[in-house]
Amino acid sequence: VFQGQILAQHLVGQETRYEVEVKTPYRHRFPLVSREYVWVPNTCGCPPLREGSEYLLMARRHVNYERTLNRIVLQDNGYARPWTLREDRLVREAAQHC
């Protein structure tokens, strides 16, 4: 779970790749750097993410069987909400209990 700003969007084959500036990592099981690529396994714009906007994203790391591909994936039904102070407060409160 992290707060990020969408810098760019690119269609690559049947997937969408977002370049994201990681603003605040809340909870993560793998290391995040200041800029990451977040992949969505479709080109339909689901979930809808706009360039320049900030979101609270809950993504998963995907490593293929051969361990040659390691990337962050936001599934089409994944959690992607516009970032607000309320979302920030809710995530920080939840982190105290998890």
Side-chain angles (χ1 to χ4, degrees):
V1 178
F2 63 94
Q3 172 197 356
Q5 181 177 9
I6 306 299
L7 301 176
Q9 171 186 350
H10 302 282
L11 298 179
V12 180
Q14 296 297 314
E15 298 178 305
T16 306
R17 183 186 75 186
Y18 293 97
E19 185 177 349
V20 179
E21 179 182 353
V22 177
K23 300 276 189 168
T24 308
Y26 292 102
R27 181 170 178 154
H28 53 282
R29 294 184 177 158
F30 50 91
L32 294 171
V33 294
S34 62
R35 289 207 177 175
E36 292 282 1
Y37 287 123
V38 176
W39 293 83
V40 177
N42 62 55
T43 57
C44 71
C46 305
L49 303 176
R50 293 189 348 230
E51 290 183 36
S53 298
E54 291 186 21
Y55 294 91
L56 185 65
L57 302 169
M58 184 169 52
R60 295 177 181 233
R61 185 174 89 174
H62 173 262
V63 180
N64 68 347
Y65 181 74
E66 295 86 14
R67 298 196 182 278
T68 58
L69 183 64
N70 181 356
R71 60 188 189 166
I72 299 172
V73 176
L74 178 65
Q75 298 174 346
D76 55 353
N77 61 352
Y79 191 85
R81 300 287 186 266
W83 184 86
T84 63
L85 289 174
R86 179 179 181 274
E87 291 285 342
D88 179 61
R89 181 178 47 83
L90 291 173
V91 171
R92 289 185 191 277
E93 289 174 0
Q96 294 174 357
H97 302 292
C98 298

mmCIF file with all atom_site columns, all heavy atoms in Angstrom, residues 71-86:
data_model
loop_
_atom_site.group_PDB
_atom_site.id
_atom_site.type_symbol
_atom_site.label_atom_id
_atom_site.label_alt_id
_atom_site.label_comp_id
_atom_site.label_asym_id
_atom_site.label_entity_id
_atom_site.label_seq_id
_atom_site.pdbx_PDB_ins_code
_atom_site.Cartn_x
_atom_site.Cartn_y
_atom_site.Cartn_z
_atom_site.occupancy
_atom_site.B_iso_or_equiv
_atom_site.pdbx_formal_charge
_atom_site.auth_seq_id
_atom_site.auth_comp_id
_atom_site.auth_asym_id
_atom_site.auth_atom_id
_atom_site.pdbx_PDB_model_num
ATOM 1   N N   . ARG A 1 71 ? 7.762   -7.623  -11.145 1.00 0.00 ? 71 ARG A N   1
ATOM 2   C CA  . ARG A 1 71 ? 7.114   -6.335  -11.327 1.00 0.00 ? 71 ARG A CA  1
ATOM 3   C C   . ARG A 1 71 ? 5.953   -6.145  -10.372 1.00 0.00 ? 71 ARG A C   1
ATOM 4   O O   . ARG A 1 71 ? 5.482   -7.095  -9.749  1.00 0.00 ? 71 ARG A O   1
ATOM 5   C CB  . ARG A 1 71 ? 6.669   -6.164  -12.767 1.00 0.00 ? 71 ARG A CB  1
ATOM 6   C CG  . ARG A 1 71 ? 5.687   -7.200  -13.239 1.00 0.00 ? 71 ARG A CG  1
ATOM 7   C CD  . ARG A 1 71 ? 5.477   -7.058  -14.712 1.00 0.00 ? 71 ARG A CD  1
ATOM 8   N NE  . ARG A 1 71 ? 4.387   -7.909  -15.175 1.00 0.00 ? 71 ARG A NE  1
ATOM 9   C CZ  . ARG A 1 71 ? 3.829   -7.803  -16.333 1.00 0.00 ? 71 ARG A CZ  1
ATOM 10  N NH1 . ARG A 1 71 ? 4.239   -6.885  -17.182 1.00 0.00 ? 71 ARG A NH1 1
ATOM 11  N NH2 . ARG A 1 71 ? 2.848   -8.605  -16.693 1.00 0.00 ? 71 ARG A NH2 1
ATOM 12  N N   . ILE A 1 72 ? 5.492   -4.919  -10.294 1.00 0.00 ? 72 ILE A N   1
ATOM 13  C CA  . ILE A 1 72 ? 4.374   -4.558  -9.430  1.00 0.00 ? 72 ILE A CA  1
ATOM 14  C C   . ILE A 1 72 ? 3.115   -4.533  -10.293 1.00 0.00 ? 72 ILE A C   1
ATOM 15  O O   . ILE A 1 72 ? 3.085   -3.868  -11.326 1.00 0.00 ? 72 ILE A O   1
ATOM 16  C CB  . ILE A 1 72 ? 4.610   -3.192  -8.774  1.00 0.00 ? 72 ILE A CB  1
ATOM 17  C CG1 . ILE A 1 72 ? 5.871   -3.247  -7.912  1.00 0.00 ? 72 ILE A CG1 1
ATOM 18  C CG2 . ILE A 1 72 ? 3.415   -2.786  -7.934  1.00 0.00 ? 72 ILE A CG2 1
ATOM 19  C CD1 . ILE A 1 72 ? 6.296   -1.911  -7.376  1.00 0.00 ? 72 ILE A CD1 1
ATOM 20  N N   . VAL A 1 73 ? 2.094   -5.260  -9.852  1.00 0.00 ? 73 VAL A N   1
ATOM 21  C CA  . VAL A 1 73 ? 0.860   -5.394  -10.632 1.00 0.00 ? 73 VAL A CA  1
ATOM 22  C C   . VAL A 1 73 ? -0.315  -4.873  -9.819  1.00 0.00 ? 73 VAL A C   1
ATOM 23  O O   . VAL A 1 73 ? -0.495  -5.230  -8.658  1.00 0.00 ? 73 VAL A O   1
ATOM 24  C CB  . VAL A 1 73 ? 0.618   -6.871  -11.028 1.00 0.00 ? 73 VAL A CB  1
ATOM 25  C CG1 . VAL A 1 73 ? -0.700  -7.025  -11.755 1.00 0.00 ? 73 VAL A CG1 1
ATOM 26  C CG2 . VAL A 1 73 ? 1.763   -7.391  -11.870 1.00 0.00 ? 73 VAL A CG2 1
ATOM 27  N N   . LEU A 1 74 ? -1.098  -4.030  -10.461 1.00 0.00 ? 74 LEU A N   1
ATOM 28  C CA  . LEU A 1 74 ? -2.362  -3.556  -9.899  1.00 0.00 ? 74 LEU A CA  1
ATOM 29  C C   . LEU A 1 74 ? -3.453  -4.216  -10.715 1.00 0.00 ? 74 LEU A C   1
ATOM 30  O O   . LEU A 1 74 ? -3.630  -3.903  -11.892 1.00 0.00 ? 74 LEU A O   1
ATOM 31  C CB  . LEU A 1 74 ? -2.451  -2.032  -9.996  1.00 0.00 ? 74 LEU A CB  1
ATOM 32  C CG  . LEU A 1 74 ? -3.731  -1.400  -9.489  1.00 0.00 ? 74 LEU A CG  1
ATOM 33  C CD1 . LEU A 1 74 ? -3.883  -1.616  -7.984  1.00 0.00 ? 74 LEU A CD1 1
ATOM 34  C CD2 . LEU A 1 74 ? -3.744  0.082   -9.802  1.00 0.00 ? 74 LEU A CD2 1
ATOM 35  N N   . GLN A 1 75 ? -4.151  -5.140  -10.111 1.00 0.00 ? 75 GLN A N   1
ATOM 36  C CA  . GLN A 1 75 ? -5.179  -5.872  -10.842 1.00 0.00 ? 75 GLN A CA  1
ATOM 37  C C   . GLN A 1 75 ? -6.353  -4.956  -11.165 1.00 0.00 ? 75 GLN A C   1
ATOM 38  O O   . GLN A 1 75 ? -6.573  -3.955  -10.487 1.00 0.00 ? 75 GLN A O   1
ATOM 39  C CB  . GLN A 1 75 ? -5.601  -7.091  -10.047 1.00 0.00 ? 75 GLN A CB  1
ATOM 40  C CG  . GLN A 1 75 ? -4.432  -8.041  -9.864  1.00 0.00 ? 75 GLN A CG  1
ATOM 41  C CD  . GLN A 1 75 ? -4.748  -9.204  -8.950  1.00 0.00 ? 75 GLN A CD  1
ATOM 42  O OE1 . GLN A 1 75 ? -5.734  -9.196  -8.247  1.00 0.00 ? 75 GLN A OE1 1
ATOM 43  N NE2 . GLN A 1 75 ? -3.873  -10.186 -8.962  1.00 0.00 ? 75 GLN A NE2 1
ATOM 44  N N   . ASP A 1 76 ? -7.118  -5.317  -12.212 1.00 0.00 ? 76 ASP A N   1
ATOM 45  C CA  . ASP A 1 76 ? -8.203  -4.437  -12.658 1.00 0.00 ? 76 ASP A CA  1
ATOM 46  C C   . ASP A 1 76 ? -9.258  -4.202  -11.596 1.00 0.00 ? 76 ASP A C   1
ATOM 47  O O   . ASP A 1 76 ? -9.933  -3.188  -11.609 1.00 0.00 ? 76 ASP A O   1
ATOM 48  C CB  . ASP A 1 76 ? -8.828  -4.945  -13.958 1.00 0.00 ? 76 ASP A CB  1
ATOM 49  C CG  . ASP A 1 76 ? -9.312  -6.373  -13.863 1.00 0.00 ? 76 ASP A CG  1
ATOM 50  O OD1 . ASP A 1 76 ? -9.052  -7.017  -12.833 1.00 0.00 ? 76 ASP A OD1 1
ATOM 51  O OD2 . ASP A 1 76 ? -9.935  -6.846  -14.820 1.00 0.00 ? 76 ASP A OD2 1
ATOM 52  N N   . ASN A 1 77 ? -9.386  -5.107  -10.647 1.00 0.00 ? 77 ASN A N   1
ATOM 53  C CA  . ASN A 1 77 ? -10.327 -4.896  -9.540  1.00 0.00 ? 77 ASN A CA  1
ATOM 54  C C   . ASN A 1 77 ? -9.571  -4.524  -8.262  1.00 0.00 ? 77 ASN A C   1
ATOM 55  O O   . ASN A 1 77 ? -10.108 -4.630  -7.170  1.00 0.00 ? 77 ASN A O   1
ATOM 56  C CB  . ASN A 1 77 ? -11.188 -6.133  -9.311  1.00 0.00 ? 77 ASN A CB  1
ATOM 57  C CG  . ASN A 1 77 ? -10.353 -7.352  -8.939  1.00 0.00 ? 77 ASN A CG  1
ATOM 58  O OD1 . ASN A 1 77 ? -9.118  -7.321  -8.988  1.00 0.00 ? 77 ASN A OD1 1
ATOM 59  N ND2 . ASN A 1 77 ? -11.013 -8.429  -8.581  1.00 0.00 ? 77 ASN A ND2 1
ATOM 60  N N   . GLY A 1 78 ? -8.332  -4.099  -8.396  1.00 0.00 ? 78 GLY A N   1
ATOM 61  C CA  . GLY A 1 78 ? -7.498  -3.753  -7.251  1.00 0.00 ? 78 GLY A CA  1
ATOM 62  C C   . GLY A 1 78 ? -7.919  -2.436  -6.615  1.00 0.00 ? 78 GLY A C   1
ATOM 63  O O   . GLY A 1 78 ? -8.739  -1.691  -7.150  1.00 0.00 ? 78 GLY A O   1
ATOM 64  N N   . TYR A 1 79 ? -7.302  -2.151  -5.481  1.00 0.00 ? 79 TYR A N   1
ATOM 65  C CA  . TYR A 1 79 ? -7.631  -0.945  -4.724  1.00 0.00 ? 79 TYR A CA  1
ATOM 66  C C   . TYR A 1 79 ? -6.818  0.227   -5.249  1.00 0.00 ? 79 TYR A C   1
ATOM 67  O O   . TYR A 1 79 ? -5.595  0.256   -5.121  1.00 0.00 ? 79 TYR A O   1
ATOM 68  C CB  . TYR A 1 79 ? -7.326  -1.178  -3.238  1.00 0.00 ? 79 TYR A CB  1
ATOM 69  C CG  . TYR A 1 79 ? -7.863  -0.103  -2.336  1.00 0.00 ? 79 TYR A CG  1
ATOM 70  C CD1 . TYR A 1 79 ? -9.175  -0.148  -1.886  1.00 0.00 ? 79 TYR A CD1 1
ATOM 71  C CD2 . TYR A 1 79 ? -7.066  0.951   -1.933  1.00 0.00 ? 79 TYR A CD2 1
ATOM 72  C CE1 . TYR A 1 79 ? -9.679  0.829   -1.055  1.00 0.00 ? 79 TYR A CE1 1
ATOM 73  C CE2 . TYR A 1 79 ? -7.563  1.939   -1.101  1.00 0.00 ? 79 TYR A CE2 1
ATOM 74  C CZ  . TYR A 1 79 ? -8.864  1.872   -0.667  1.00 0.00 ? 79 TYR A CZ  1
ATOM 75  O OH  . TYR A 1 79 ? -9.359  2.847   0.147   1.00 0.00 ? 79 TYR A OH  1
ATOM 76  N N   . ALA A 1 80 ? -7.483  1.171   -5.860  1.00 0.00 ? 80 ALA A N   1
ATOM 77  C CA  . ALA A 1 80 ? -6.862  2.394   -6.357  1.00 0.00 ? 80 ALA A CA  1
ATOM 78  C C   . ALA A 1 80 ? -7.854  3.521   -6.134  1.00 0.00 ? 80 ALA A C   1
ATOM 79  O O   . ALA A 1 80 ? -8.844  3.637   -6.842  1.00 0.00 ? 80 ALA A O   1
ATOM 80  C CB  . ALA A 1 80 ? -6.513  2.262   -7.833  1.00 0.00 ? 80 ALA A CB  1
ATOM 81  N N   . ARG A 1 81 ? -7.594  4.318   -5.121  1.00 0.00 ? 81 ARG A N   1
ATOM 82  C CA  . ARG A 1 81 ? -8.502  5.412   -4.778  1.00 0.00 ? 81 ARG A CA  1
ATOM 83  C C   . ARG A 1 81 ? -7.752  6.730   -4.845  1.00 0.00 ? 81 ARG A C   1
ATOM 84  O O   . ARG A 1 81 ? -6.565  6.787   -4.502  1.00 0.00 ? 81 ARG A O   1
ATOM 85  C CB  . ARG A 1 81 ? -9.042  5.251   -3.353  1.00 0.00 ? 81 ARG A CB  1
ATOM 86  C CG  . ARG A 1 81 ? -9.820  3.990   -3.114  1.00 0.00 ? 81 ARG A CG  1
ATOM 87  C CD  . ARG A 1 81 ? -11.188 4.063   -3.780  1.00 0.00 ? 81 ARG A CD  1
ATOM 88  N NE  . ARG A 1 81 ? -11.992 2.910   -3.444  1.00 0.00 ? 81 ARG A NE  1
ATOM 89  C CZ  . ARG A 1 81 ? -12.080 1.814   -4.176  1.00 0.00 ? 81 ARG A CZ  1
ATOM 90  N NH1 . ARG A 1 81 ? -11.409 1.718   -5.269  1.00 0.00 ? 81 ARG A NH1 1
ATOM 91  N NH2 . ARG A 1 81 ? -12.837 0.807   -3.819  1.00 0.00 ? 81 ARG A NH2 1
ATOM 92  N N   . PRO A 1 82 ? -8.443  7.798   -5.266  1.00 0.00 ? 82 PRO A N   1
ATOM 93  C CA  . PRO A 1 82 ? -7.781  9.106   -5.227  1.00 0.00 ? 82 PRO A CA  1
ATOM 94  C C   . PRO A 1 82 ? -7.303  9.394   -3.801  1.00 0.00 ? 82 PRO A C   1
ATOM 95  O O   . PRO A 1 82 ? -8.020  9.139   -2.837  1.00 0.00 ? 82 PRO A O   1
ATOM 96  C CB  . PRO A 1 82 ? -8.881  10.078  -5.652  1.00 0.00 ? 82 PRO A CB  1
ATOM 97  C CG  . PRO A 1 82 ? -9.832  9.242   -6.447  1.00 0.00 ? 82 PRO A CG  1
ATOM 98  C CD  . PRO A 1 82 ? -9.791  7.880   -5.812  1.00 0.00 ? 82 PRO A CD  1
ATOM 99  N N   . TRP A 1 83 ? -6.080  9.904   -3.702  1.00 0.00 ? 83 TRP A N   1
ATOM 100 C CA  . TRP A 1 83 ? -5.498  10.165  -2.392  1.00 0.00 ? 83 TRP A CA  1
ATOM 101 C C   . TRP A 1 83 ? -6.127  11.404  -1.781  1.00 0.00 ? 83 TRP A C   1
ATOM 102 O O   . TRP A 1 83 ? -6.260  12.447  -2.424  1.00 0.00 ? 83 TRP A O   1
ATOM 103 C CB  . TRP A 1 83 ? -3.987  10.371  -2.494  1.00 0.00 ? 83 TRP A CB  1
ATOM 104 C CG  . TRP A 1 83 ? -3.362  10.532  -1.158  1.00 0.00 ? 83 TRP A CG  1
ATOM 105 C CD1 . TRP A 1 83 ? -2.943  9.539   -0.336  1.00 0.00 ? 83 TRP A CD1 1
ATOM 106 C CD2 . TRP A 1 83 ? -3.097  11.748  -0.469  1.00 0.00 ? 83 TRP A CD2 1
ATOM 107 N NE1 . TRP A 1 83 ? -2.431  10.061  0.820   1.00 0.00 ? 83 TRP A NE1 1
ATOM 108 C CE2 . TRP A 1 83 ? -2.513  11.420  0.771   1.00 0.00 ? 83 TRP A CE2 1
ATOM 109 C CE3 . TRP A 1 83 ? -3.304  13.082  -0.775  1.00 0.00 ? 83 TRP A CE3 1
ATOM 110 C CZ2 . TRP A 1 83 ? -2.131  12.375  1.694   1.00 0.00 ? 83 TRP A CZ2 1
ATOM 111 C CZ3 . TRP A 1 83 ? -2.927  14.044  0.152   1.00 0.00 ? 83 TRP A CZ3 1
ATOM 112 C CH2 . TRP A 1 83 ? -2.351  13.685  1.365   1.00 0.00 ? 83 TRP A CH2 1
ATOM 113 N N   . THR A 1 84 ? -6.569  11.257  -0.532  1.00 0.00 ? 84 THR A N   1
ATOM 114 C CA  . THR A 1 84 ? -7.099  12.372  0.254   1.00 0.00 ? 84 THR A CA  1
ATOM 115 C C   . THR A 1 84 ? -6.536  12.266  1.651   1.00 0.00 ? 84 THR A C   1
ATOM 116 O O   . THR A 1 84 ? -5.988  11.230  2.043   1.00 0.00 ? 84 THR A O   1
ATOM 117 C CB  . THR A 1 84 ? -8.645  12.330  0.336   1.00 0.00 ? 84 THR A CB  1
ATOM 118 O OG1 . THR A 1 84 ? -9.028  11.131  1.014   1.00 0.00 ? 84 THR A OG1 1
ATOM 119 C CG2 . THR A 1 84 ? -9.289  12.386  -1.046  1.00 0.00 ? 84 THR A CG2 1
ATOM 120 N N   . LEU A 1 85 ? -6.679  13.314  2.432   1.00 0.00 ? 85 LEU A N   1
ATOM 121 C CA  . LEU A 1 85 ? -6.231  13.258  3.823   1.00 0.00 ? 85 LEU A CA  1
ATOM 122 C C   . LEU A 1 85 ? -7.008  12.200  4.598   1.00 0.00 ? 85 LEU A C   1
ATOM 123 O O   . LEU A 1 85 ? -6.472  11.556  5.496   1.00 0.00 ? 85 LEU A O   1
ATOM 124 C CB  . LEU A 1 85 ? -6.385  14.623  4.481   1.00 0.00 ? 85 LEU A CB  1
ATOM 125 C CG  . LEU A 1 85 ? -5.397  15.680  3.988   1.00 0.00 ? 85 LEU A CG  1
ATOM 126 C CD1 . LEU A 1 85 ? -5.727  17.037  4.601   1.00 0.00 ? 85 LEU A CD1 1
ATOM 127 C CD2 . LEU A 1 85 ? -3.976  15.283  4.303   1.00 0.00 ? 85 LEU A CD2 1
ATOM 128 N N   . ARG A 1 86 ? -8.268  11.991  4.243   1.00 0.00 ? 86 ARG A N   1
ATOM 129 C CA  . ARG A 1 86 ? -9.075  10.961  4.909   1.00 0.00 ? 86 ARG A CA  1
ATOM 130 C C   . ARG A 1 86 ? -8.495  9.574   4.642   1.00 0.00 ? 86 ARG A C   1
ATOM 131 O O   . ARG A 1 86 ? -8.371  8.754   5.548   1.00 0.00 ? 86 ARG A O   1
ATOM 132 C CB  . ARG A 1 86 ? -10.518 11.036  4.426   1.00 0.00 ? 86 ARG A CB  1
ATOM 133 C CG  . ARG A 1 86 ? -11.406 9.991   5.058   1.00 0.00 ? 86 ARG A CG  1
ATOM 134 C CD  . ARG A 1 86 ? -12.856 10.123  4.555   1.00 0.00 ? 86 ARG A CD  1
ATOM 135 N NE  . ARG A 1 86 ? -13.694 9.134   5.179   1.00 0.00 ? 86 ARG A NE  1
ATOM 136 C CZ  . ARG A 1 86 ? -13.855 7.887   4.723   1.00 0.00 ? 86 ARG A CZ  1
ATOM 137 N NH1 . ARG A 1 86 ? -13.232 7.495   3.642   1.00 0.00 ? 86 ARG A NH1 1
ATOM 138 N NH2 . ARG A 1 86 ? -14.645 7.050   5.351   1.00 0.00 ? 86 ARG A NH2 1
#
